[in-house]
Amino acid sequence: MWSLAPLSGSPGASGVLLIVKNYTGDRLNFGLAAEQARNQGVAVDMVIVAEDCAFDRPSKAGRRGLCGTVFIHKLAGALAEEGCSLDQIVSKMKEVLKGIGTLGVSLSPCSVPGCLPSFDLPPGAMELGLGIHGEPGIKRSKVASADEVVKTMIDHMTNPDSQSHLPLKSGDSVVLCVNNLGALSCLEMAVVTQAAITCLESRGVVVARVMSGPFMTSLEMAGVSLTLMKVNPETLRLFDTKTSAPAWPNLSTAAVSGRNCITSAPVMITRPQDDKHAKGPLSPVMHKVLNKICSTLLEKQEELNSLDRASGDGDCGNTHAQAARAVQEWLRDHVVPGCPGRLLSVLAGLVEEKMGGSSGALYSLFLTAAAGHVTEGKTNGAAWAAAVHAGTQAMRRYGGADPGDRTMLDALCPAAEELMKLTTAPPAGQMDVLHAAVAKAAAGAEATRDLTARAGRASYIAAERVTLPDPGAVAVAAMLRAVVETLAEQK
């Protein structure tokens, strides 16, 4: 509640400054200490901090001392370090105090250990104008957004109809302290801090410096106080003076307001699934392939869920069904583009948006990486083999899994390896390669029942409990079979 600040040289050599918050008990006890020190021949003086802006008409006790005390500590310390006399420091601090104001708000009371909460606050309510000892505030209202709360606080602090207001006008420079009263998270503090800066700048106030953190707390109170200190170049110089105090923040000496921000017009990027596409020779067969994949996934929804319940959260079938329905809906309203690469980009966007989770990200990675290998004019077997290989490698690179880890890659990788034979197979032998790839995928999926999971949710479950095939691998094998069966029907 106070500070002893010896002024240069040995302790007490030039005098002792007592910095006291304006509470009756504090004034009495440190007043007594000051008188006793004077009787011992010690030069002593007192600065009483009373910067609370809560009360429109303060009682005889006056305004309370709150977090503005921290500013007085810092400035007085800087002056003492420069060798100023006790009288000079006291005079300067009394002048600075005329330009400091603080107001607090809280969503909860605090509890002194072993005692009940200092006041009752119902859910959804907030207390404005409370002190730092757990005493209730002057006003209670419904919880609002950070922007609204901050505006209410600054309006109250600067209301000229209040005897406790801080005179603040456009063009004034301030140091802002956003003080955590105890229980707010770093995220919440950052939100309030940004709201306070924005509110002040909207009034034409220059925010020279910002402090945000727990500088004067009230135990576990979930609240915040705002302190504003009007500054001129000299006050700011003292504020910026380096200190070895371990809890003092390492602040930038650049003003917060007026910083150059490089802004550019937002680039409007359309989603591939929203673009209009032109049909091509491959559009009909790709349409049939997609329909077959979707119907297959919907038929296997419960099977995949059942497999996933043994090794995950039981929703593998549901997520694949979500993707299938999204594709079906898109097919009803759109033309399948003639370029396979564009279709893969559309599918990547759909599964990323509609499927969600790790599976959505993995499939989207696969499709995005594959899309660049099957462009217009590059749609032969070798191009599709390269596309599947690129997609598989992207899944491995970003997902971190490998064949043998009991994932969908155990079905996809052997199939992708088999499909590379398309680069040398004659046209008459390409269907044989495709059927062989389907067989490799199915065998890889079945083999996962004997593998120990080293990736995915199944890796957190005891190996002896995971005895069924991996649902992701089963889904991959089923989709590949659906593709090849549809292509075979076109021959």
Side-chain angles (χ1 to χ4, degrees), residues 288-304 317 320-321 324 328 474-483 485-486:
K288 291 179 180 179
V289 167
L290 286 179
N291 274 328
K292 181 66 172 179
I293 291 174
C294 292
S295 61
T296 297
L297 290 177
L298 291 172
E299 290 170 5
K300 284 188 167 290
Q301 180 175 355
E302 187 46 48
E303 177 189 343
L304 295 175
H320 282 77
Q328 287 178 330
V474 171
V476 166
M479 285 188 283
L480 185 57
R481 182 179 297 278
V483 172
E485 286 179 354
T486 306

Side-chain angles (χ1 to χ4, degrees), residues 67 70 102 132 177-182 184 189 193 211-218 223-227:
C67 195
V70 174
T102 298
I132 56 173
C177 178
V178 183
N179 174 52
N180 190 343
L181 290 173
L184 292 190
M189 287 295 293
T193 301
M211 298 168 62
S212 180
F215 301 106
M216 188 171 290
T217 60
S218 295
V224 63
S225 65
L226 301 181
T227 300

Side-chain angles (χ1 to χ4, degrees), residues 106-111 117-121 130 134 218 220-222:
S106 183
L107 305 180
S108 76
C110 65
S111 301
S118 52
F119 58 89
D120 294 322
L121 190 60
L130 50 129
S218 295
E220 85 287 19
M221 184 176 285

